Amino acid sequence: MSYILHYAPDNASLAVRLALEQRGLPYKAVLVDRKQAEQSGPAYRQLNPNGLIPVLETPQGPLFETGAILLWLADTHGQLGPAPDAPERGDFLKWLFFVANTLHPAERMLFYPEKFIAPDHATALRAGLTQHLHQSFTTLDAAAALRPDWLGGTAPTVLDFYVAALLRWPALYPADHDRSWFRLGVYPALQRVCAKIESLPATIALQQAEGLGDTPFTAPRHPNPPIGSAT
């Protein structure tokens, strides 16, 4: 079995790529050229009608939505989260959906307010979103501080990968907006998760493929990918 991951550097595809690398699953990475807006073209929209990155092509057909892809990989291949009959499965799912339904959309609105509101109101939207994200990160940090197996535990899970990505981006994006509201050290348990993910061989592979630097999650720098663009 081999997969095709449609990705762009430093996009949500990086969480999926980490999961594939962690499990040693064979895959081909196919660049979606954001400079050419390929994600909005007809060929890509046949895979994902919403025009968002990533898509994972599987023998069962193309999958989109980052959280859905990650959960599918965890359930299909194991060792990336609690099994469906595990006692901690419910806790894992509720926080995975919290990340996918609350944190990720809020960051997307913060980075691309013009897609959601008139330009004259973008500043107010971003102000509200930074407060919302800070509270959400604080809530997630309290859950991580309990050191559950499914978040910051001994074996990394797809939730770890997703969280690390969402903690990387506010330090870097949007480039034209004040980012001083975000400091990873304010969330010590989540900072520990980032440090753990950063030490994995899977992350080394990602650093090389997407030019993310040697501290992509604890001290992010703008990517310098060998091909493609993050925006």
Side-chain angles (χ1 to χ4, degrees), residues 4-6 30 32 39 41-52 54-58 61-65:
I4 299 175
L5 174 63
H6 296 263
V30 174
V32 181
Q39 72 274 20
Y44 189 78
R45 284 186 179 268
Q46 285 187 347
L47 298 171
N48 184 352
N50 301 309
L52 298 175
V55 164
L56 185 70
E57 291 192 65
T58 80
L63 299 176
F64 55 84
E65 293 294 324

Side-chain angles (χ1 to χ4, degrees), residues 10-20 22 52-54 64-74 80 92-108 111 133 137 140 150-152 156-170 182 184 190 193-194 197-198 200 203 206 216-217:
D10 208 14
N11 278 232
S13 48
L14 74 86
V16 177
R17 198 167 195 163
L18 281 169
L20 291 167
Q22 177 65 25
L52 298 175
I53 301 168
F64 55 84
E65 293 294 324
T66 305
I69 297 171
L70 292 171
L71 182 57
W72 186 87
L73 286 172
L80 291 170
F92 167 73
L93 287 178
K94 69 186 181 186
W95 288 108
L96 178 63
F97 277 69
F98 171 76
V99 167
N101 293 347
T102 300
L103 287 178
H104 198 169
E107 288 197 11
R108 188 164 183 267
F111 303 154
L133 282 164
F137 284 137
L140 186 61
W150 38 265
L151 182 58
T157 71
V158 293
L159 181 57
D160 291 308
F161 298 142
Y162 206 169
V163 167
L166 290 167
L167 289 165
R168 168 183 165 80
W169 297 324
F182 179 80
L184 181 59
L190 296 180
V193 172
C194 286
I197 297 305
E198 202 168 80
L200 297 174
T203 300
L206 192 76
F217 302 118

